[in-house]
Amino acid sequence: MRFSTTLLPLALALRASAMYDDWYFGNMFALGPTSNNVHITKATYSLVPPAVPCGSQQNGSDEAPWLAIWVGLSASMSDQTADLFQPLLNWSPDQESQACPASNQEWCVATSTYHLSGQVQDPYVPVPNDSQLDFTITVDQASNKIIQQVSVNGKEISHQADDKTINPTYIYSSNECYLDACGTLAAYSWKNMTIHLSDADLNFQNTIALDGARDSGMTTPDNGKTWHINSMRIDRDYFYPDQQDHECGSD
């Protein structure tokens, strides 16, 4: 496990600055920025989703909390005008409130892009328990689109193509909770992550920042143009209004 002394404060600042309007960001990893005008051209990764959170609280609010876990590509971690291309796994104790056609014992998934003007996404699709999701985000220069794809067992279940408004220089993740009442989220791991760059960037491995996360190490088969991480573990996370850790389940 490696920590970037320059980017870890940035990751922590993102987490802290996001705690407004009832949005709370938890454990995460970040890689970037790339160097010398190099940008990310493709990212692939897989996930077997963890158990849905336990211990969520509605606290008398008319709104139900909801939690999303994601990996996304952007040109910045701090500039809110930089679009974020982020397929979302979403869960709420009231799934209907999130237009998620699943029980509260299942996740939903959708390709999704955050714009400053709002979120644009494909409809949510239920995720069968214990299934593996495969994600691909491609920066397609020929079509001038950024294309997101999510598959289960080789079958595509969500697809989105947006205008290429950025050249991505960061890939990063988060656990994201609305109302800070999502409960306890078990640890989980993003697997088989491969990041393709437009050109070689040997410094890319030194930009990693980990907050409540552990990586298996980065390798490159082609001297810095392609990077691979076998596993990126995101530790157990807690979202409670009292800001305390409450154990209600096991990994």
Side-chain angles (χ1 to χ4, degrees):
M1 177 168 56
R2 301 180 304 282
F3 290 84
S4 163
T5 57
T6 57
L7 281 203
L8 185 57
L10 177 58
L12 297 174
L14 174 74
R15 176 173 176 170
S17 66
M19 295 176 62
Y20 60 89
D21 291 340
D22 295 320
W23 296 90
Y24 293 79
F25 285 57
N27 295 337
M28 63 180 294
F29 77 87
L31 272 163
T34 50
S35 306
N36 300 322
N37 295 317
V38 171
H39 61 273
I40 298 168
T41 60
K42 185 176 182 179
T44 59
Y45 50 96
S46 300
L47 176 72
V48 176
V52 300
C54 57
S56 64
Q57 303 171 11
Q58 195 151 346
N59 296 326
S61 170
D62 291 336
E63 295 182 275
W66 62 266
L67 183 131
I69 60 179
W70 50 267
V71 170
L73 301 185
S74 187
S76 176
M77 288 180 63
S78 56
D79 182 358
Q80 295 297 304
T81 66
D83 291 343
L84 172 61
F85 300 83
Q86 51 168 174
L88 296 173
L89 275 91
N90 192 89
W91 174 85
S92 172
D94 179 5
Q95 298 280 49
E96 186 177 355
S97 70
Q98 300 304 310
C100 174
S103 76
N104 63 9
Q105 295 303 307
E106 299 171 297
W107 291 89
C108 275
V109 69
T111 51
S112 178
T113 300
Y114 172 80
H115 304 280
L116 187 61
S117 58
Q119 203 87 20
V120 176
Q121 66 180 70
D122 211 41
Y124 279 119
V125 178
V127 178
N129 287 330
D130 300 320
S131 60
Q132 177 176 296
L133 295 168
D134 297 311
F135 299 85
T136 302
I137 309 176
T138 304
V139 181
D140 188 347
Q141 300 291 347
S143 65
N144 204 37
K145 299 286 186 181
I146 294 182
I147 301 167
Q148 303 174 54
Q149 299 164 280
V150 183
S151 299
V152 175
N153 298 325
K155 179 182 178 181
E156 184 177 272
I157 60 172
S158 190
H159 181 107
Q160 184 165 325
D162 298 280
D163 290 340
K164 188 179 76 66
T165 55
I166 59 165
N167 283 319
T169 55
Y170 287 90
I171 179 169
Y172 65 101
S173 76
S174 192
N175 299 330
E176 177 182 354
C177 174
Y178 177 63
L179 296 179
D180 201 27
C182 298
T184 301
L185 175 65
Y188 62 92
S189 295
W190 303 103
K191 296 280 192 177
N192 198 29
M193 182 175 294
T194 301
I195 305 157
H196 303 260
L197 304 180
S198 59
D199 207 341
D201 181 3
L202 285 172
N203 187 59
F204 191 56
Q205 63 185 322
N206 300 321
T207 68
I208 193 164
L210 303 169
D211 181 16
R214 288 172 276 171
D215 73 295
S216 61
M218 295 180 65
T219 59
T220 176
D222 52 11
N223 203 34
K225 189 172 182 179
T226 308
W227 291 94
H228 185 78
I229 302 170
N230 284 332
S231 177
M232 182 70 74
R233 177 181 167 91
I234 307 297
D235 293 339
R236 182 186 290 264
D237 218 347
Y238 306 89
F239 295 97
Y240 291 94
D242 64 5
Q243 304 295 304
Q244 300 299 310
D245 297 349
H246 298 272
E247 301 296 348
C248 60
S250 58
D251 294 349

